[in-house]
Amino acid sequence: MSSKILHVLTPLLAALALTAPLAAPASSSAPASPPGAAAQVATAPAEIAAGPVAYAGTVYFTFDDGPSYTYTPKVLAVLRKYGVKAVFFEVGQNVSWYPSITRSLRYYGNKIGNHTWSHPNLTTLSTASVTWQLNRMESALGYRPRCVRPPYGATNSRIATIIANRGQRQILWTVDPRDWSRPGTWTIVNRVLANVRSGSRILMHDGGGDRSQTVAALNILIPKLRARGFVIGLMAC
């Protein structure tokens, strides 16, 4: 090639080199991140913490008609699982049959209440017979508890006076899921949750029949009540 031609082509080739685009990078299947995305990922929390649940009040579990050889230990196991204590209104005849179960309840911090010797309707008895029912239960128990629950909730001014004159408190309930009728585990749960309020005394049963539904419902109720902000307390009995 002549020097004259080279003299003409050299500046043209240099100009073309300066204006040619750079080679494109290898293609990727992932779309490009928007500006600032990396910073957002780096600063986002790994997990959003649940906010605190508002305090909804204190509620109390009570159990009637035990002790039962089969179901009272199962109720106790659920209570211990969640660190909950309750008042057990026991029938004296059952206490005399299963004293070790009553001792176990007390050992783990639960309270025992007087539910009479043989579970009669106290309003149909003479004053002397009412007194005998309460004394006989306490003889089997070995001491006088602070609280009495008349069977069936059957009471009147005479019964209330007899109990008060003994230096004891008559304790009824405010929430009754009728668990004794075995309506189904979730029926028991839903009845309690629909009616519970601050200060509620929840009636359940550990004796008097098949209480498997009660045990199952209790295992559901305790965490659900806590999730709603309730504290589960122990009555002074």
Side-chain angles (χ1 to χ4, degrees):
M1 184 178 295
S2 69
S3 59
K4 185 176 180 179
I5 295 173
L6 285 174
H7 179 74
V8 172
L9 290 177
T10 298
L12 291 174
L13 292 172
L16 289 172
L18 288 174
T19 58
L22 296 175
S27 63
S28 171
S29 59
S33 297
Q40 290 174 3
V41 172
T43 58
E47 181 177 308
I48 303 300
V53 178
Y55 171 68
T58 302
V59 298
Y60 307 92
F61 277 108
T62 66
F63 295 88
D64 282 14
D65 298 351
S68 158
Y69 179 81
T70 302
Y71 296 106
T72 302
K74 293 180 179 180
V75 169
L76 177 58
V78 176
L79 295 177
R80 291 185 61 201
K81 173 182 175 181
Y82 293 107
V84 171
K85 297 177 177 60
V87 181
F88 289 77
F89 289 94
E90 297 192 329
V91 175
Q93 287 179 339
N94 295 340
V95 174
S96 69
W97 293 332
Y98 310 116
S100 63
I101 296 177
T102 299
R103 287 194 297 269
S104 182
L105 291 173
R106 294 183 64 197
Y107 177 82
Y108 288 108
N110 300 283
K111 302 291 185 180
I112 307 300
N114 190 332
H115 203 41
T116 74
W117 169 254
S118 60
H119 205 273
N121 181 332
L122 295 181
T123 64
T124 67
L125 303 182
S126 67
T127 296
S129 294
V130 171
T131 300
W132 183 89
Q133 281 281 336
L134 298 176
N135 285 344
R136 183 72 185 274
M137 185 278 176
E138 292 167 5
S139 177
L141 185 61
Y143 67 96
R144 175 164 292 182
R146 294 179 61 184
C147 299
V148 175
R149 173 169 285 170
Y152 315 106
T155 188
N156 54 31
S157 59
R158 179 175 67 94
I159 301 304
T161 298
I162 293 171
I163 293 170
N165 287 342
R166 296 165 61 85
Q168 296 170 298
R169 300 170 57 203
Q170 176 176 266
I171 300 294
L172 299 179
W173 56 84
T174 62
V175 178
D176 179 7
R178 297 175 64 83
D179 65 312
W180 57 268
S181 66
R182 304 186 67 247
T185 295
W186 279 101
T187 298
I188 297 169
V189 170
N190 291 331
R191 284 174 178 175
V192 171
L193 294 179
N195 293 284
V196 70
R197 304 289 186 273
S198 178
S200 288
R201 297 187 298 274
I202 302 167
L203 169 63
M204 301 184 85
H205 294 77
D206 63 314
D210 181 347
R211 301 300 172 222
S212 56
Q213 292 181 4
T214 298
V215 174
L218 182 65
N219 199 38
I220 298 168
L221 273 170
I222 293 175
K224 282 190 172 291
L225 288 169
R226 285 176 168 169
R228 292 188 177 194
F230 288 102
V231 172
I232 302 173
L234 176 64
M235 287 191 300
C237 283

